[in-house]
């Protein structure tokens, strides 16, 4: 029997608070926004709310029911599992991703009703856990934590996707320009960091044989952050701040988008085909944001919403390069007294590292093993976190990943160079 | 001065009633449905409501304002004209049709507010008309009538488009299964007609030199129905009823979708590429309708939602052919004592006539001249009207038209053959 | 027994002469040119030579063999029937058209060897015909004539396709600039016609009830030219010459390619998408031809290689319209003393008539019934013939047809207007 | 003055021998084959012959002429540089790759004539080198060596591309089945290696801090093989032979192409979309090769023409993984007494390493700097060499690279696993 009610209560209260936060995120939206899907890569807000609920239903509640535990009924109507599965092949077939915006039904009311039933069932888990053998209890706690982290990821995706969807509307809607809105948070953080816009300083690191990856000390991490392992690094230097809008404007003024010699061949082709001339949400000297069009764009703010290809081209133009993910992690983790500035909370930082498994990587058993491991081709790792990332969802070992042409995530860059 | 207030009042009261009916059409919808666009050819309900308002604003109210008439302010916010223009090149550029489903804003409330302002301004027109010179008054009345007819067309489109959108949702939503809903009307009309499902009888027509086209007697007609003109017809026969679901099932059972010899080459390619095996909304032995899935499908009901290619292949298989539009019009118009059964109110009837201008056709001057005339290639004419067509919107000379691969309109067929 | 050796001999000697002419057509080509396929709509020269042979093998020689007649062996190696069938579904599946350029094998030598065997077998037919019952003999003669006409069509296609293929090569190769080449013939014919470039005169025709279509008097015609039938025409006028390059330049200078009001909606979309700014083979003030780049382009020559959409837009701009195919045919056939100038031998002339079956049309039985009938959607009829059309392959009732966006055929236009 | 005539003569005689070998490669081809381009990724044989000549013209002869050296005239006709540039942006715009198969002109005779003029000019270089300052002479020698290596790469590409092109022809042509043909060489090498088909043995390697990359000892290497650098490896094991056809058949029989859990998500999507069911050239129990269809396929031969995705899925199914490129290089280079079997000369071996620059990588200055460096995204490294690789073109540090969905290169795999 598991005597860990405190841990359970703690996870559950955190999970339910995160679930509540998802509802808060859609509060500023109009009903029509709930079905908005700007492109195949993005999903509508309502879908995110339903999918995160499906995740808990599928991986937490269903297995308990299947194991004979008596829970409040939370099974959704027929067909919802097909609709709200994202990519778990082991669970069955699923609705095509590009058509999520066509799901005007089930209504938001029906989805929220389901969310509530699931949350109620989750609230009853502490009682159940007291009866569960320790191993099963531990596994259940781990799945609850995964459900929580998963929902946080979707909170960031929801806002990214919404910005994409709104950006395609010529009336340029604003999600929220209140003092507690995401853009206000961005500006507040910009104010708090002293480094933006000032001269760049290089921070030097000695390299050598080093360890990266999550230490596996019981704190939560995704499977792709493990195992912790050794690697060899040559001495290197990292910029002490992110590249700014002003600097990126200089790159554009210098013909950065017209010089194939600065670009990877694949990136140059994408750039030509899509007619890229500036970061994704720049509009003249303004920038489209979740608070609507911001004019003028702040020159001292970190550039955001650029692809890996643009980050890489910029770095080459600047006579530098992107950091490897190991370089970034070591710098970020190395020194509590003098932490790497702007590591978290502004923009995700593209690295030069393709997203591949760490040596000895093992995906989790079962369907949750599809969480990360099967995406390890043709993507690059980003490190840090951004202003849309929920609190508590950042750590030095976190590996975010996107294809190199992606621009709708909050991607920016920090320069690196060899130091010999 | 124009002493025609009765005419004005009549048109206006009809127009405002039609406008009111548009609102009634969206009453059964959930908010998320208002932005639903199932495919590039279709438009969301909210867009239809906004576009029909834009039409009146652009072609009725704007010119009056531009001519110095004092009207209540109805001009929409900047950019709405760009959003809600459908295809009028002369009016300027416009939002890409396939992206109408991305317009979660302006909200339905904002659109309805605009509708109300426009309707209020329209209500004041009788007073204005009294002051207007007769010619301008006549022109204004004609535009009001056009606005009315245009809105009726969009009422039918709205329901067609919605059926398409809902059909793409695995939960198969129903628009309305009440006794006043469109499917109830369909069934009621099926009951009223004695001909469905019974043996087919051929009605013979003598041919010869004949006149078709709208007589231009002052009653409303679209420009493409004129001018009335002579043509020569050989003797022919028309079926006295529409082809039924049961008959179409026999075509399928006989391998109709596997025999290229029955199909036009272009149609066979489309059929293979899209994997057609049955009419668009058949699901096994059921049929998806605006009242949801109807099981079993009625064998005696006219087949609906087939493309021209399927209608043509069926006719060939049946040893018959499609009627020409002239044959259909003459049969439909010929005899008040013995009218052509099932000519109107069930399904539009594909003809073998490509959609081209009548001899001597002249499009209207100005942007409204783009209404019909520029679509006269690669489409076929359909005659009659369907159960979604608003009351008062049917006549023997009406020329509907769609590309031959279209299946989301309510298209069916009536057989014809030579009679020599 | 059929005592018609003279007829047989005549057809055969004509057929073998036509077959010989196909070989003459590839004489100026380099080996690599034989596989050149510029686009999916076109075919390589070698394929044309093989396909016309397949046609005779499939529809003339095979049935005779199958009927037990002893013929020299002409059956090609396994798989060739699959390769060289064009579109006859009844004969079986076939190699995808867009991949004909990938058939570097069989070699030209192998193809020519097969041609020779087939021609030898054909040469033995007179003897066979003497033994054949009259009806079968007649049928055989009809198929031989069809094979001859079919090969002539492919001779024109071969040159059209080659011009397309060469036009995609930046070195702009010339097929032949000798005095007997096709471009020399074009110039010679231009010289012979007095009408090009001079002021346009309208020729008036009275209309009324008229007959069009092939009289079926025993002379060869394609199935789509029959049956001869009556129709009603209003009085009309036709230009006494074709529209010239100079006139088309004026259309361009007047913004013809920038004014959507001149275009059908479908054509405007195509024009925008493909960036049309001039006829297909214009290069600045030069024109690419089978004799290479001709500079300057002759202003008085008929414009060639324009689509139906461009022809239609030009006519609208010029305050005229395209003739119907009936108008063209009647004018062309009407008066031996005063024939319609430039009716034949320069450019095919787009008409305003969609390509549809004549009333009472019946395709031939069997696979040859696929020759014309299954293409009767989404195409327009062209009348006349062009400078690439082989001698003896023109007549007033001939119906050529292409989709309205096609530009690689030798299409031009003659203006028409109502005359009331 | 450079006293290195022996070095010059050596390079030149090797280069001219390689140039001669290119001509030998096309000897078995029919003229039509010279223009065959099966897909956008491939190029026609004639293009390869012209492009390798262009490379020498552009990077060796042109700069000498530009520097005032008197050379025999080798400049090609206008426009050829546009046609035969592959991807060097710095040199100017170029003919679109997917349209190389449309270049029926210049003819092979013209191309071979140019080759001969270039070779003649190259033959005169020793004399020139005697007059050149040492630094320029060294640079010239380096470019000649690069031209040689470049031509060898294209020799392999020519055969790969040809196999692709022939495989699309239903008559399945054979390039060459003589005793000196590539397939004969493949079989001979299979016979020479004792390891194919027998039980697999794991060879263990200790890992630790290791050096990889070309030592830069004056012998030729491509820029992407440098700089030599340190990295850390954990202990690992490599299979002592390649995976065989027989083993891959077992993977297929076990449902390998139906189990998404074995595949990367991107690979599974590609597999579904393209309908992969077996390696690219398997046809039932036969295999299509440059010697035509080989039936039955040899079970003990290494599997070839599989994508990275298939190699990765196979390894996962087999409970193993792909080696990293460092693991492969160290194993291959480590022990002269006990070399890694089947490292070279059979199939290229997919590694788990994305193709990225080595730490400190610097592309060469000028246009030749585009040789490798700009392709370092979304590709994987292959190591070893294959039976189509020219003699002298293999080494342990060689980094070949292709996108993970590529199957037309000769790609196979060797298993690896951790050894702890």
């Amino acid at each position: 029997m598991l005597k860990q009610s405190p841990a359970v209560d703690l996870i559950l209260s955190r999970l339910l608070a995160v679930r509540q936060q998802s509802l808060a995120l859609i509060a500023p939206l109009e009903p029509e926004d709930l079905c908005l899907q700007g492109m195949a890569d993005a999903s509508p807000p309502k879908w995110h709310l339903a999918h995160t609920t499906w995740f808990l239903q599928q991986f937490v509640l269903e297995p308990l029911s299947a194991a004979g535990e008596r829970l409040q009924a939370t099974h959704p109507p027929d067909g919802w599992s097909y609709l709200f599965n994202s990519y778990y092949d082991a669970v069955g077939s699923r609705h095509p991703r590009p058509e999520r915006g066509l799901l005007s039904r089930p209504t938001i009311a029906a989805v929220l009703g389901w969310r509530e039933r699931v949350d109620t069932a989750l609230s009853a888990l502490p009682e159940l856990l007291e009866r569960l053998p320790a191993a099963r209890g531990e596994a259940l706690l781990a799945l609850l934590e995964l459900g929580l982290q998963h929902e946080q990821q979707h909170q960031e995706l929801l806002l990214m996707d919404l910005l994409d969807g709104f950006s395609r509307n010529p009336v340029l809607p604003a999600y929220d320009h209140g003092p507690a809105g995401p853009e206000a948070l961005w500006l507040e953080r910009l104010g708090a960091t002293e480094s933006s816009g000032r001269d760049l300083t290089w921070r030097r690191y000695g390299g050598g044989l080093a360890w990266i990856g999550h230490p596996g000390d019981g704190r939560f991490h995704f499977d792709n952050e493990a195992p912790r392992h050794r690697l060899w690094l040559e001495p290197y230097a990292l910029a002490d701040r992110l590249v700014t809008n002003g600097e990126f404007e200089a790159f554009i003024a210098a013909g950065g988008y017209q010089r194939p010699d600065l670009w990877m061949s694949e990136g140059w082709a994408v750039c030509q085909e899509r007619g890229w001339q500036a970061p994704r949400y720049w509009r003249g000297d303004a920038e489209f944001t979740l608070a609507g069009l911001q004019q003028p764009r702040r020159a001292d703010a970190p550039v955001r919403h650029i692809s890996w290809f643009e980050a890489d081209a910029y770095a080459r133009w600047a006579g530098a390069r992107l950091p490897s993910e190991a370089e970034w992690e070591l710098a970020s983790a190395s020194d509590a007294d003098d932490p790497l500035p702007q590591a978290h909370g502004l923009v995700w930082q593209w690295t030069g590292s393709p997203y591949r498994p760490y040596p000895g990587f093992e995906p989790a058993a079962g369907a949750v093993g599809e969480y990360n491991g099967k995406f390890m081709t043709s993507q690059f790792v980003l490190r840090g976190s951004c202003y849309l990332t929920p609190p508590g969802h950042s750590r030095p070992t976190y590996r975010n990943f996107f294809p190199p042409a992606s621009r709708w995530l909050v991607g920016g860059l920090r320069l690196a160079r060899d130091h010999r």
Side-chain angles (χ1 to χ4, degrees), chain A residues 341-356:
Chain A
Q342 299 189 326
H344 289 282
L346 289 168
V347 300
W348 290 98
Q349 294 152 50
W350 285 110
T351 74
S353 300
Y355 178 50
R356 289 289 295 151

mmCIF file with all atom_site columns, all heavy atoms in Angstrom, chain A residues 341-356:
data_model
loop_
_atom_site.group_PDB
_atom_site.id
_atom_site.type_symbol
_atom_site.label_atom_id
_atom_site.label_alt_id
_atom_site.label_comp_id
_atom_site.label_asym_id
_atom_site.label_entity_id
_atom_site.label_seq_id
_atom_site.pdbx_PDB_ins_code
_atom_site.Cartn_x
_atom_site.Cartn_y
_atom_site.Cartn_z
_atom_site.occupancy
_atom_site.B_iso_or_equiv
_atom_site.pdbx_formal_charge
_atom_site.auth_seq_id
_atom_site.auth_comp_id
_atom_site.auth_asym_id
_atom_site.auth_atom_id
_atom_site.pdbx_PDB_model_num
ATOM 1   N N   . PRO A 1 341 ? 22.650 34.639 -19.134 1.00 0.00 ? 341 PRO A N   1
ATOM 2   C CA  . PRO A 1 341 ? 21.501 35.561 -19.243 1.00 0.00 ? 341 PRO A CA  1
ATOM 3   C C   . PRO A 1 341 ? 20.567 35.166 -20.381 1.00 0.00 ? 341 PRO A C   1
ATOM 4   O O   . PRO A 1 341 ? 21.000 34.597 -21.380 1.00 0.00 ? 341 PRO A O   1
ATOM 5   C CB  . PRO A 1 341 ? 22.155 36.922 -19.525 1.00 0.00 ? 341 PRO A CB  1
ATOM 6   C CG  . PRO A 1 341 ? 23.591 36.755 -19.185 1.00 0.00 ? 341 PRO A CG  1
ATOM 7   C CD  . PRO A 1 341 ? 23.920 35.322 -19.399 1.00 0.00 ? 341 PRO A CD  1
ATOM 8   N N   . GLN A 1 342 ? 19.291 35.499 -20.204 1.00 0.00 ? 342 GLN A N   1
ATOM 9   C CA  . GLN A 1 342 ? 18.265 35.258 -21.225 1.00 0.00 ? 342 GLN A CA  1
ATOM 10  C C   . GLN A 1 342 ? 18.194 33.802 -21.675 1.00 0.00 ? 342 GLN A C   1
ATOM 11  O O   . GLN A 1 342 ? 17.857 33.499 -22.816 1.00 0.00 ? 342 GLN A O   1
ATOM 12  C CB  . GLN A 1 342 ? 18.512 36.169 -22.439 1.00 0.00 ? 342 GLN A CB  1
ATOM 13  C CG  . GLN A 1 342 ? 18.454 37.649 -22.078 1.00 0.00 ? 342 GLN A CG  1
ATOM 14  C CD  . GLN A 1 342 ? 18.491 38.551 -23.302 1.00 0.00 ? 342 GLN A CD  1
ATOM 15  O OE1 . GLN A 1 342 ? 19.129 38.246 -24.293 1.00 0.00 ? 342 GLN A OE1 1
ATOM 16  N NE2 . GLN A 1 342 ? 17.798 39.671 -23.223 1.00 0.00 ? 342 GLN A NE2 1
ATOM 17  N N   . ALA A 1 343 ? 18.510 32.898 -20.749 1.00 0.00 ? 343 ALA A N   1
ATOM 18  C CA  . ALA A 1 343 ? 18.423 31.478 -21.111 1.00 0.00 ? 343 ALA A CA  1
ATOM 19  C C   . ALA A 1 343 ? 16.973 31.029 -21.202 1.00 0.00 ? 343 ALA A C   1
ATOM 20  O O   . ALA A 1 343 ? 16.618 30.203 -22.053 1.00 0.00 ? 343 ALA A O   1
ATOM 21  C CB  . ALA A 1 343 ? 19.179 30.627 -20.087 1.00 0.00 ? 343 ALA A CB  1
ATOM 22  N N   . HIS A 1 344 ? 16.127 31.576 -20.351 1.00 0.00 ? 344 HIS A N   1
ATOM 23  C CA  . HIS A 1 344 ? 14.744 31.100 -20.294 1.00 0.00 ? 344 HIS A CA  1
ATOM 24  C C   . HIS A 1 344 ? 13.749 32.250 -20.351 1.00 0.00 ? 344 HIS A C   1
ATOM 25  O O   . HIS A 1 344 ? 14.059 33.380 -19.986 1.00 0.00 ? 344 HIS A O   1
ATOM 26  C CB  . HIS A 1 344 ? 14.532 30.299 -19.004 1.00 0.00 ? 344 HIS A CB  1
ATOM 27  C CG  . HIS A 1 344 ? 15.228 28.981 -19.017 1.00 0.00 ? 344 HIS A CG  1
ATOM 28  N ND1 . HIS A 1 344 ? 14.754 27.881 -19.680 1.00 0.00 ? 344 HIS A ND1 1
ATOM 29  C CD2 . HIS A 1 344 ? 16.413 28.595 -18.455 1.00 0.00 ? 344 HIS A CD2 1
ATOM 30  C CE1 . HIS A 1 344 ? 15.591 26.863 -19.527 1.00 0.00 ? 344 HIS A CE1 1
ATOM 31  N NE2 . HIS A 1 344 ? 16.616 27.276 -18.789 1.00 0.00 ? 344 HIS A NE2 1
ATOM 32  N N   . GLY A 1 345 ? 12.571 31.937 -20.809 1.00 0.00 ? 345 GLY A N   1
ATOM 33  C CA  . GLY A 1 345 ? 11.433 32.828 -20.642 1.00 0.00 ? 345 GLY A CA  1
ATOM 34  C C   . GLY A 1 345 ? 11.245 33.875 -21.726 1.00 0.00 ? 345 GLY A C   1
ATOM 35  O O   . GLY A 1 345 ? 10.269 34.615 -21.698 1.00 0.00 ? 345 GLY A O   1
ATOM 36  N N   . LEU A 1 346 ? 12.148 33.953 -22.681 1.00 0.00 ? 346 LEU A N   1
ATOM 37  C CA  . LEU A 1 346 ? 11.949 34.914 -23.781 1.00 0.00 ? 346 LEU A CA  1
ATOM 38  C C   . LEU A 1 346 ? 11.672 34.167 -25.086 1.00 0.00 ? 346 LEU A C   1
ATOM 39  O O   . LEU A 1 346 ? 10.542 34.139 -25.546 1.00 0.00 ? 346 LEU A O   1
ATOM 40  C CB  . LEU A 1 346 ? 13.169 35.839 -23.900 1.00 0.00 ? 346 LEU A CB  1
ATOM 41  C CG  . LEU A 1 346 ? 13.309 36.844 -22.751 1.00 0.00 ? 346 LEU A CG  1
ATOM 42  C CD1 . LEU A 1 346 ? 14.669 37.526 -22.770 1.00 0.00 ? 346 LEU A CD1 1
ATOM 43  C CD2 . LEU A 1 346 ? 12.191 37.899 -22.804 1.00 0.00 ? 346 LEU A CD2 1
ATOM 44  N N   . VAL A 1 347 ? 12.719 33.588 -25.675 1.00 0.00 ? 347 VAL A N   1
ATOM 45  C CA  . VAL A 1 347 ? 12.513 32.813 -26.910 1.00 0.00 ? 347 VAL A CA  1
ATOM 46  C C   . VAL A 1 347 ? 13.283 31.496 -26.821 1.00 0.00 ? 347 VAL A C   1
ATOM 47  O O   . VAL A 1 347 ? 14.339 31.416 -26.196 1.00 0.00 ? 347 VAL A O   1
ATOM 48  C CB  . VAL A 1 347 ? 13.004 33.573 -28.179 1.00 0.00 ? 347 VAL A CB  1
ATOM 49  C CG1 . VAL A 1 347 ? 12.258 34.886 -28.346 1.00 0.00 ? 347 VAL A CG1 1
ATOM 50  C CG2 . VAL A 1 347 ? 14.512 33.793 -28.159 1.00 0.00 ? 347 VAL A CG2 1
ATOM 51  N N   . TRP A 1 348 ? 12.745 30.475 -27.456 1.00 0.00 ? 348 TRP A N   1
ATOM 52  C CA  . TRP A 1 348 ? 13.480 29.239 -27.657 1.00 0.00 ? 348 TRP A CA  1
ATOM 53  C C   . TRP A 1 348 ? 14.678 29.535 -28.546 1.00 0.00 ? 348 TRP A C   1
ATOM 54  O O   . TRP A 1 348 ? 14.580 30.327 -29.487 1.00 0.00 ? 348 TRP A O   1
ATOM 55  C CB  . TRP A 1 348 ? 12.595 28.185 -28.329 1.00 0.00 ? 348 TRP A CB  1
ATOM 56  C CG  . TRP A 1 348 ? 11.507 27.674 -27.436 1.00 0.00 ? 348 TRP A CG  1
ATOM 57  C CD1 . TRP A 1 348 ? 10.218 28.075 -27.411 1.00 0.00 ? 348 TRP A CD1 1
ATOM 58  C CD2 . TRP A 1 348 ? 11.644 26.658 -26.446 1.00 0.00 ? 348 TRP A CD2 1
ATOM 59  N NE1 . TRP A 1 348 ? 9.528  27.372 -26.458 1.00 0.00 ? 348 TRP A NE1 1
ATOM 60  C CE2 . TRP A 1 348 ? 10.384 26.484 -25.851 1.00 0.00 ? 348 TRP A CE2 1
ATOM 61  C CE3 . TRP A 1 348 ? 12.714 25.876 -25.994 1.00 0.00 ? 348 TRP A CE3 1
ATOM 62  C CZ2 . TRP A 1 348 ? 10.149 25.560 -24.823 1.00 0.00 ? 348 TRP A CZ2 1
ATOM 63  C CZ3 . TRP A 1 348 ? 12.484 24.957 -24.988 1.00 0.00 ? 348 TRP A CZ3 1
ATOM 64  C CH2 . TRP A 1 348 ? 11.214 24.800 -24.400 1.00 0.00 ? 348 TRP A CH2 1
ATOM 65  N N   . GLN A 1 349 ? 15.790 28.849 -28.285 1.00 0.00 ? 349 GLN A N   1
ATOM 66  C CA  . GLN A 1 349 ? 17.025 29.176 -28.990 1.00 0.00 ? 349 GLN A CA  1
ATOM 67  C C   . GLN A 1 349 ? 17.460 28.003 -29.859 1.00 0.00 ? 349 GLN A C   1
ATOM 68  O O   . GLN A 1 349 ? 17.722 26.914 -29.362 1.00 0.00 ? 349 GLN A O   1
ATOM 69  C CB  . GLN A 1 349 ? 18.085 29.575 -27.943 1.00 0.00 ? 349 GLN A CB  1
ATOM 70  C CG  . GLN A 1 349 ? 17.672 30.877 -27.250 1.00 0.00 ? 349 GLN A CG  1
ATOM 71  C CD  . GLN A 1 349 ? 18.183 31.036 -25.832 1.00 0.00 ? 349 GLN A CD  1
ATOM 72  O OE1 . GLN A 1 349 ? 19.372 30.854 -25.594 1.00 0.00 ? 349 GLN A OE1 1
ATOM 73  N NE2 . GLN A 1 349 ? 17.296 31.365 -24.895 1.00 0.00 ? 349 GLN A NE2 1
ATOM 74  N N   . TRP A 1 350 ? 17.466 28.255 -31.158 1.00 0.00 ? 350 TRP A N   1
ATOM 75  C CA  . TRP A 1 350 ? 17.869 27.200 -32.100 1.00 0.00 ? 350 TRP A CA  1
ATOM 76  C C   . TRP A 1 350 ? 19.313 26.788 -31.825 1.00 0.00 ? 350 TRP A C   1
ATOM 77  O O   . TRP A 1 350 ? 20.183 27.646 -31.628 1.00 0.00 ? 350 TRP A O   1
ATOM 78  C CB  . TRP A 1 350 ? 17.787 27.703 -33.533 1.00 0.00 ? 350 TRP A CB  1
ATOM 79  C CG  . TRP A 1 350 ? 16.416 27.833 -34.115 1.00 0.00 ? 350 TRP A CG  1
ATOM 80  C CD1 . TRP A 1 350 ? 15.770 28.992 -34.410 1.00 0.00 ? 350 TRP A CD1 1
ATOM 81  C CD2 . TRP A 1 350 ? 15.540 26.774 -34.520 1.00 0.00 ? 350 TRP A CD2 1
ATOM 82  N NE1 . TRP A 1 350 ? 14.534 28.732 -34.967 1.00 0.00 ? 350 TRP A NE1 1
ATOM 83  C CE2 . TRP A 1 350 ? 14.362 27.362 -35.050 1.00 0.00 ? 350 TRP A CE2 1
ATOM 84  C CE3 . TRP A 1 350 ? 15.614 25.376 -34.486 1.00 0.00 ? 350 TRP A CE3 1
ATOM 85  C CZ2 . TRP A 1 350 ? 13.298 26.625 -35.535 1.00 0.00 ? 350 TRP A CZ2 1
ATOM 86  C CZ3 . TRP A 1 350 ? 14.544 24.638 -34.983 1.00 0.00 ? 350 TRP A CZ3 1
ATOM 87  C CH2 . TRP A 1 350 ? 13.400 25.248 -35.493 1.00 0.00 ? 350 TRP A CH2 1
ATOM 88  N N   . THR A 1 351 ? 19.569 25.500 -31.851 1.00 0.00 ? 351 THR A N   1
ATOM 89  C CA  . THR A 1 351 ? 20.947 25.024 -31.767 1.00 0.00 ? 351 THR A CA  1
ATOM 90  C C   . THR A 1 351 ? 21.344 24.384 -33.092 1.00 0.00 ? 351 THR A C   1
ATOM 91  O O   . THR A 1 351 ? 20.490 24.127 -33.942 1.00 0.00 ? 351 THR A O   1
ATOM 92  C CB  . THR A 1 351 ? 21.111 23.957 -30.665 1.00 0.00 ? 351 THR A CB  1
ATOM 93  O OG1 . THR A 1 351 ? 20.514 22.730 -31.119 1.00 0.00 ? 351 THR A OG1 1
ATOM 94  C CG2 . THR A 1 351 ? 20.462 24.399 -29.368 1.00 0.00 ? 351 THR A CG2 1
ATOM 95  N N   . GLY A 1 352 ? 22.607 24.121 -33.249 1.00 0.00 ? 352 GLY A N   1
ATOM 96  C CA  . GLY A 1 352 ? 23.100 23.455 -34.454 1.00 0.00 ? 352 GLY A CA  1
ATOM 97  C C   . GLY A 1 352 ? 22.961 21.946 -34.375 1.00 0.00 ? 352 GLY A C   1
ATOM 98  O O   . GLY A 1 352 ? 23.472 21.244 -35.257 1.00 0.00 ? 352 GLY A O   1
ATOM 99  N N   . SER A 1 353 ? 22.279 21.437 -33.339 1.00 0.00 ? 353 SER A N   1
ATOM 100 C CA  . SER A 1 353 ? 22.203 19.984 -33.134 1.00 0.00 ? 353 SER A CA  1
ATOM 101 C C   . SER A 1 353 ? 20.929 19.393 -33.719 1.00 0.00 ? 353 SER A C   1
ATOM 102 O O   . SER A 1 353 ? 19.831 19.741 -33.292 1.00 0.00 ? 353 SER A O   1
ATOM 103 C CB  . SER A 1 353 ? 22.234 19.674 -31.631 1.00 0.00 ? 353 SER A CB  1
ATOM 104 O OG  . SER A 1 353 ? 23.425 20.168 -31.058 1.00 0.00 ? 353 SER A OG  1
ATOM 105 N N   . PRO A 1 354 ? 21.078 18.471 -34.661 1.00 0.00 ? 354 PRO A N   1
ATOM 106 C CA  . PRO A 1 354 ? 19.905 17.718 -35.113 1.00 0.00 ? 354 PRO A CA  1
ATOM 107 C C   . PRO A 1 354 ? 19.321 16.960 -33.933 1.00 0.00 ? 354 PRO A C   1
ATOM 108 O O   . PRO A 1 354 ? 20.047 16.548 -33.025 1.00 0.00 ? 354 PRO A O   1
ATOM 109 C CB  . PRO A 1 354 ? 20.489 16.749 -36.146 1.00 0.00 ? 354 PRO A CB  1
ATOM 110 C CG  . PRO A 1 354 ? 21.800 17.318 -36.545 1.00 0.00 ? 354 PRO A CG  1
ATOM 111 C CD  . PRO A 1 354 ? 22.315 18.047 -35.342 1.00 0.00 ? 354 PRO A CD  1
ATOM 112 N N   . TYR A 1 355 ? 18.036 16.777 -33.949 1.00 0.00 ? 355 TYR A N   1
ATOM 113 C CA  . TYR A 1 355 ? 17.357 16.085 -32.858 1.00 0.00 ? 355 TYR A CA  1
ATOM 114 C C   . TYR A 1 355 ? 17.496 14.583 -33.053 1.00 0.00 ? 355 TYR A C   1
ATOM 115 O O   . TYR A 1 355 ? 16.888 14.007 -33.954 1.00 0.00 ? 355 TYR A O   1
ATOM 116 C CB  . TYR A 1 355 ? 15.888 16.497 -32.851 1.00 0.00 ? 355 TYR A CB  1
ATOM 117 C CG  . TYR A 1 355 ? 15.054 15.814 -31.802 1.00 0.00 ? 355 TYR A CG  1
ATOM 118 C CD1 . TYR A 1 355 ? 15.466 15.767 -30.473 1.00 0.00 ? 355 TYR A CD1 1
ATOM 119 C CD2 . TYR A 1 355 ? 13.840 15.221 -32.135 1.00 0.00 ? 355 TYR A CD2 1
ATOM 120 C CE1 . TYR A 1 355 ? 14.693 15.157 -29.508 1.00 0.00 ? 355 TYR A CE1 1
ATOM 121 C CE2 . TYR A 1 355 ? 13.049 14.604 -31.182 1.00 0.00 ? 355 TYR A CE2 1
ATOM 122 C CZ  . TYR A 1 355 ? 13.490 14.568 -29.868 1.00 0.00 ? 355 TYR A CZ  1
ATOM 123 O OH  . TYR A 1 355 ? 12.714 13.953 -28.919 1.00 0.00 ? 355 TYR A OH  1
ATOM 124 N N   . ARG A 1 356 ? 18.334 13.974 -32.241 1.00 0.00 ? 356 ARG A N   1
ATOM 125 C CA  . ARG A 1 356 ? 18.571 12.535 -32.315 1.00 0.00 ? 356 ARG A CA  1
ATOM 126 C C   . ARG A 1 356 ? 18.580 11.971 -30.894 1.00 0.00 ? 356 ARG A C   1
ATOM 127 O O   . ARG A 1 356 ? 18.702 12.723 -29.922 1.00 0.00 ? 356 ARG A O   1
ATOM 128 C CB  . ARG A 1 356 ? 19.935 12.256 -32.987 1.00 0.00 ? 356 ARG A CB  1
ATOM 129 C CG  . ARG A 1 356 ? 19.939 12.566 -34.475 1.00 0.00 ? 356 ARG A CG  1
ATOM 130 C CD  . ARG A 1 356 ? 19.125 11.586 -35.293 1.00 0.00 ? 356 ARG A CD  1
ATOM 131 N NE  . ARG A 1 356 ? 19.694 10.238 -35.243 1.00 0.00 ? 356 ARG A NE  1
ATOM 132 C CZ  . ARG A 1 356 ? 18.952 9.130  -35.365 1.00 0.00 ? 356 ARG A CZ  1
ATOM 133 N NH1 . ARG A 1 356 ? 17.648 9.196  -35.525 1.00 0.00 ? 356 ARG A NH1 1
ATOM 134 N NH2 . ARG A 1 356 ? 19.532 7.949  -35.308 1.00 0.00 ? 356 ARG A NH2 1
#
